[in-house]
Amino acid sequence: MPSKRSGPIAIEAIDLTKTYRSTVALDGLSLSIADGTVYGFLGPNGAGKTTTMRLLTGLSQPTSGRARICGRDITNRRELAPAVGYLPETPPLYDEFSAREQLEYAADLRDIPSETADKRISEYLDQFGLAGDEHKRISAYSKGMKQKTAFIQSILHDPQVLFLDEPTSGLDPRAARQIRQSITDFADDGTTVFLSTHILPVVEAVADEVGVLFDGKLVAEGSPDEVKSRVETGGESTLEDAFLAVTSADAPISNTAGATDE
Amino acid sequence: MTLRRDVRHGLRIGRAEFVRSIRGYTKETRRVIGIIFSVLFFGVMTLFLASGAYVAGRSVQSAAEIPFFDPATTVLPAALLVLVVLRTFERIGDIEASEFVLTTVHPRAVVIGLLVAETSRLVLWFGLPIAAFVAAFTSGLGAPTLPLSAAAVLLPLVGWATVWGYALGIGFLRVLQYLPGIRRMLKIVGGALVLVFVAGSQFVGQAIVSEDISIGSLLSRVTFAPLVDYVSLAFVGTPLARPSSWTAAVVALVLLALTPVGLAVATRQATALWFTDVGSRSATAQSKGSESGFSAPKPLALAQSGRIAWGHLVRGVRHPQQFSHLITIIFFIGPVGTSAFQGLDDYLGLVVAGTGIGLATYLAGATFGLNPLGDERPQLPFLLLTATTPRTLVRGRALAGFAIGAPVAVVASLGSIAFGTKPLHGVGFALGGVVMCLAATAFAVGIGTAYPIYEEREFWGTETVVPSTLVLLLYIFIVGGGTTIGYFTTLYLVSEGIPTAVLPGVLIGLYGLVTAGVSYGSYRYAIRRYRTYTFD
């Protein structure tokens, strides 16, 4: 059962804002996520979730505000890189490589010693059921196989913070469960997981905390139970009910983090 | 420490990118065959050049006797600089799977990696011929140290041109990122410049021969003397050695000093480009809209195939990069372009009409018809499951091409009246041109569906699918030949009327039958390909 954690801060964002010309993609986002937390990051399409992930991984620069990952400023890429793993929605893989070549390449760029890399790669390929196909070119892989390869790539260096953008999208139930289980295992080992997904049961299953983004603003935050309690349904509410309630056009928007019953 | 790590990462990235390129070149039999032909063709050329270099090496007494040596020392580095700028625009302005690479290593490593990969690709294509040339020249000269001294001299020059070319290219991309209006304008101007350049390159050879222009005197004006002194250092220790000059040493120092500066500038530019998001571009894309809905104009609106054709035309206007393959015709028109108009003052009208009809039949088929299945691959799961028949889909595509080609034929034919063509002849050419466009577009969809290309490649910043070069060349030769015969047949008919003699009658009839038969057969084949298409 997920539980809210406390301790050193892994992800800290203060008043992060990102604008594209006249469009505000992210509007004063503040986060404080403790080490080892699985943070479910929810929001409708276009709410600013991917923008947030790109900002927190240093791939994009905020218009204003600042953020730190494990105490490292997101603008210092050289320090930031070893601390984070990022799996974007589209797996960043090379069709011309096999899974093993791709992972060896990633390990090489991550400065993982080759013996350690070989061992880890073999273990992960085996764990995710790719061992038999490790020498096939990625161009011949199914969507699920690509997703699993990219997931392994993002965790190969044991990052302190793992950013996952729709990691189970398009996966069959077995593969999705493998990813879910891995997320939980990583969190148990102290890795902070920042998980963006539309698949709410996944969030309910693994998240310690949930944040809901709507129109670039954080409109709800807390444990899944706290967020669910914001909805009066007369019966037992689900995360889906809560999500729909806080992201409807006429929902009152709280400007502070923390689950609040308004 | 960080530099060493970045260089190590950069070399690893360069190796990976190079391996990916090699695998890309060889992943299809079609490409392998193309490469084999290229290697054979350029291999023979290299043999000739190498034998010439050997003879030159034996006979040359001083560096000044090497043809175009002085201007080449300036023109070649400048050309390399421009080439890298263009390649930065086209290919190496960013790296694939950037989310992975940019969250893994420092941008400087990525810049180094991209440049290493690009240099390796250049060496792959040009290294062997250059090595053969140098080896042959060295052998003729009897100076075995020349390759080493030449490499020592050229490496700083190549390094300088590469990093500064990249810095310039990335700088331009940054400007375009902030100024999307200029980006669009440059795309248009750039496209026009490419056309002018390609056409000009075809005309220039003729001009040099026919106008007796001295290319040596032209090039001597752009020669930068200190660079000549510097490159001449390659001949140190050989019979061609020149007296050393202090300017050569200064150039060497400047090149060595500016290369790391260029790398730093390129890294700063690239970092700013890659991490300053694509918001401006996506915002621009979002601002484009279509509020008027989709309604075809009158003649096309009458039939479903017409409305489909209108859809192709609208998409073409909104995404003109998909027509990049049409530039190929310049390579064919260029060499005959000037001569076609020479000494034909009395027949200028006929030339105008003929050229117009030729261009019209080319556009009629090549614009939309040479890769229908490849162009529509993403939409095929939808299209093939609609109630619309394959025949209508093929007709729609053919009609779109016809809508482009036929007006060109009519305008050129009627316009030729202003250049001396008789009005009746002009009308006859217009009619003949329209019929030929119809035949061309029907033929195009057949050969286009026979060999579809699905891969996208980047052209002027957008991904687009272009037809197979083989299909395009086949189309140009067959339709070009057919149009030529058709043009003279039309000229005969409008001049002489319906033939009464047996031979002309039989020949014209035969031409008509073959054209109609091949075109109709090709059209039927395209329909069958659509009907039986599977996603294998």
Side-chain angles (χ1 to χ4, degrees):
Chain A
M1 188 69 185
S3 63
K4 188 166 181 176
R5 319 218 174 180
S6 60
I9 300 302
I11 302 173
E12 183 183 29
I14 301 168
D15 211 18
L16 269 189
T17 298
K18 180 73 179 177
T19 56
Y20 299 116
R21 294 179 182 272
S22 58
T23 308
V24 180
L26 202 60
D27 191 0
L29 176 73
S30 292
L31 294 169
S32 180
I33 301 170
D35 258 353
T37 304
V38 177
Y39 189 88
F41 198 48
L42 308 177
N45 293 329
K49 300 190 298 297
T50 300
T51 300
T52 304
M53 293 189 124
R54 289 180 65 84
L55 290 172
L56 294 176
T57 51
L59 284 171
S60 180
Q61 293 173 340
T63 310
S64 65
R66 57 195 169 87
R68 298 171 78 84
I69 305 294
C70 301
R72 305 162 198 214
D73 197 286
I74 55 167
T75 56
N76 188 341
R77 290 187 195 93
R78 210 179 278 284
E79 278 192 9
L80 186 67
V84 301
Y86 177 38
L87 172 63
E89 194 169 358
T90 305
L93 304 170
Y94 298 112
D95 280 353
E96 299 85 356
F97 289 165
S98 68
R100 180 166 276 278
E101 286 174 329
Q102 175 79 38
L103 296 172
E104 283 175 352
Y105 179 45
D108 212 353
L109 294 185
R110 292 282 189 193
D111 291 331
I112 302 171
S114 59
E115 280 183 21
T116 311
D118 278 348
K119 190 165 170 284
R120 279 190 202 168
I121 290 168
S122 296
E123 281 174 5
Y124 281 132
L125 287 171
D126 193 43
Q127 182 184 335
F128 284 93
L130 292 169
D133 299 307
E134 63 186 283
H135 297 298
K136 282 184 186 166
R137 296 273 167 90
I138 289 171
S139 56
Y141 277 18
S142 66
K143 186 177 179 182
M145 291 163 79
K146 286 181 182 175
Q147 190 77 355
K148 286 191 282 189
T149 307
F151 181 76
I152 297 171
Q153 178 174 269
S154 67
I155 59 176
L156 202 55
H157 59 298
D158 277 342
Q160 289 164 273
V161 180
L162 182 58
F163 292 90
L164 304 174
D165 198 349
E166 297 289 356
T168 55
S169 168
L171 295 185
D172 62 51
R174 186 182 302 277
R177 176 178 281 189
Q178 282 175 331
I179 299 275
R180 276 205 315 271
Q181 187 57 50
S182 296
I183 291 170
T184 311
D185 291 346
F186 273 103
D188 288 344
D189 290 343
T191 304
T192 307
V193 181
F194 192 86
L195 169 67
S196 167
T197 179
H198 286 122
I199 306 174
L200 300 181
V202 172
V203 177
E204 281 195 285
V206 301
D208 304 310
E209 278 191 74
V210 173
V212 183
L213 199 66
F214 182 52
D215 271 353
K217 289 188 168 74
L218 194 68
V219 292
E221 192 182 42
S223 70
D225 286 339
E226 286 171 333
V227 172
K228 280 190 278 187
S229 69
R230 294 188 61 171
V231 186
E232 296 296 334
T233 58
E236 193 174 333
S237 63
T238 64
L239 198 56
E240 186 177 77
D241 296 326
F243 176 83
L244 293 174
V246 297
T247 59
S248 64
D250 52 351
I253 293 176
S254 65
N255 57 4
T256 56
T260 51
D261 292 315
E262 295 170 16
Chain B
M1 183 64 186
T2 55
L3 175 65
R4 188 186 297 175
R5 189 168 63 180
D6 287 345
V7 169
R8 182 162 49 79
H9 286 158
L11 291 174
R12 184 68 183 89
I13 292 170
R15 198 174 91 210
E17 291 294 310
F18 183 64
V19 168
R20 291 182 58 224
S21 296
I22 297 289
R23 290 182 181 176
Y25 298 148
T26 55
K27 72 177 174 184
E28 286 178 15
T29 314
R30 174 176 60 87
R31 290 191 180 189
V32 175
I33 292 170
I35 290 171
I36 290 171
F37 274 109
S38 301
V39 167
L40 286 174
F41 178 73
F42 290 109
V44 172
M45 276 181 66
T46 302
L47 282 178
F48 278 112
L49 280 174
S51 56
Y54 177 78
V55 173
R58 286 187 68 85
S59 59
V60 75
Q61 301 295 315
S62 72
E65 288 180 28
I66 300 172
F68 305 121
F69 175 75
D70 288 5
T73 58
T74 304
V75 170
L76 290 182
L80 180 61
L81 185 90
V82 173
L83 178 69
V84 177
V85 170
L86 291 175
R87 289 288 289 167
T88 306
F89 262 56
E90 185 201 5
R91 178 168 181 163
I92 56 172
D94 56 16
I95 189 163
E96 212 175 303
S98 60
E99 292 101 334
F100 154 60
V101 182
L102 295 178
T103 54
T104 304
V105 297
H106 193 266
R108 181 164 62 182
V110 183
V111 169
I112 293 171
L114 288 170
L115 292 179
V116 166
E118 185 61 13
T119 310
S120 304
R121 282 188 284 264
L122 284 174
V123 169
L124 176 72
W125 288 111
F126 302 110
L128 195 63
I130 291 172
F133 186 84
V134 171
F137 186 77
T138 302
S139 177
L141 193 65
T145 57
L146 180 60
L148 290 176
S149 55
V153 165
L154 291 180
L155 271 178
L157 201 56
V158 171
W160 170 85
T162 307
V163 294
W164 280 101
Y166 193 69
L168 271 174
I170 292 282
F172 284 134
L173 285 175
R174 282 195 69 200
V175 172
L176 298 182
Q177 187 184 32
Y178 284 104
L179 301 169
I182 286 187
R183 188 184 185 89
R184 281 195 297 277
M185 191 185 78
L186 272 182
K187 277 185 182 178
I188 296 166
V189 173
L193 282 177
V194 168
L195 282 173
V196 169
F197 175 76
V198 172
S201 68
Q202 301 298 306
F203 289 121
V204 76
Q206 284 194 350
I208 288 169
V209 173
S210 59
E211 304 295 330
D212 198 25
I213 295 171
S214 166
I215 197 164
S217 66
L218 283 176
L219 289 173
S220 66
R221 290 179 196 170
V222 297
T223 301
F224 183 53
L227 265 181
V228 179
D229 292 341
Y230 170 71
V231 176
S232 299
L233 290 176
F235 297 119
V236 169
T238 74
L240 305 183
R242 289 180 175 183
S244 297
S245 84
W246 63 271
T247 51
V250 170
V251 170
L253 286 174
V254 167
L255 289 175
L256 288 172
L258 282 183
T259 300
V261 173
L263 179 64
V265 172
T267 302
R268 283 183 74 91
Q269 296 283 345
T271 305
L273 179 73
W274 295 333
F275 295 97
T276 311
D277 228 322
V278 290
S280 54
R281 273 180 270 174
S282 38
T284 310
Q286 282 166 7
S287 66
K288 287 183 181 176
S290 309
E291 292 178 5
S292 57
F294 186 83
S295 55
K298 223 8 172 322
L300 294 174
L302 298 174
Q304 193 181 17
S305 54
R307 294 191 291 276
I308 291 171
W310 179 244
H312 289 306
L313 292 167
V314 169
R315 285 169 54 205
V317 168
R318 291 178 185 173
H319 186 211
Q321 291 87 350
Q322 66 177 281
F323 304 132
S324 58
H325 62 281
L326 293 176
I327 291 172
T328 311
I329 192 66
I330 300 287
F331 291 101
F332 291 84
I333 291 178
V336 296
T338 48
S339 55
F341 291 87
Q342 284 169 359
L344 289 171
D345 293 347
D346 296 341
Y347 304 99
L348 197 55
L350 295 178
V351 173
V352 169
T355 307
I357 291 173
L359 184 64
T361 53
Y362 173 69
L363 292 174
T367 308
F368 292 105
L370 293 183
N371 191 25
L373 294 170
D375 288 344
E376 289 186 323
R377 168 83 168 211
Q379 292 83 34
L380 280 179
F382 157 68
L383 289 173
L384 297 179
L385 293 175
T386 60
T388 306
T389 61
R391 188 176 62 180
T392 309
L393 293 174
V394 172
R395 278 185 186 175
R397 189 162 274 275
L399 199 52
F402 182 75
I404 297 282
V408 174
V410 171
V411 169
S413 300
L414 297 181
S416 72
I417 295 170
F419 295 94
T421 305
K422 291 176 186 170
L424 186 64
H425 289 193
V427 173
F429 285 136
L431 287 173
V434 167
V435 173
M436 282 185 259
C437 283
L438 198 62
T441 192
F443 175 68
V445 290
I447 61 167
T449 49
Y451 197 59
I453 298 290
Y454 302 114
E455 280 177 14
E456 290 190 336
R457 68 181 179 86
E458 191 160 328
F459 186 84
W460 283 102
T462 51
E463 295 282 325
T464 187
V465 180
V466 293
S468 154
T469 307
L470 190 68
V471 167
L472 183 61
L473 293 180
L474 190 70
Y475 177 80
I476 289 173
F477 280 117
I478 292 179
V479 172
T483 304
T484 306
I485 298 172
Y487 169 73
F488 284 108
T489 303
T490 309
L491 180 61
Y492 179 87
L493 289 173
V494 294
S495 305
E496 307 291 330
I498 304 295
T500 49
V502 176
L503 187 61
V506 168
L507 288 176
I508 290 172
L510 190 64
Y511 165 74
L513 277 174
V514 169
T515 303
V518 169
S519 296
Y520 184 70
S522 189
Y523 162 72
R524 295 294 306 174
Y525 173 77
I527 293 173
R528 202 174 78 218
R529 283 281 289 163
Y530 265 79
R531 191 176 290 137
T532 58
Y533 187 81
T534 53
F535 291 84
D536 295 324

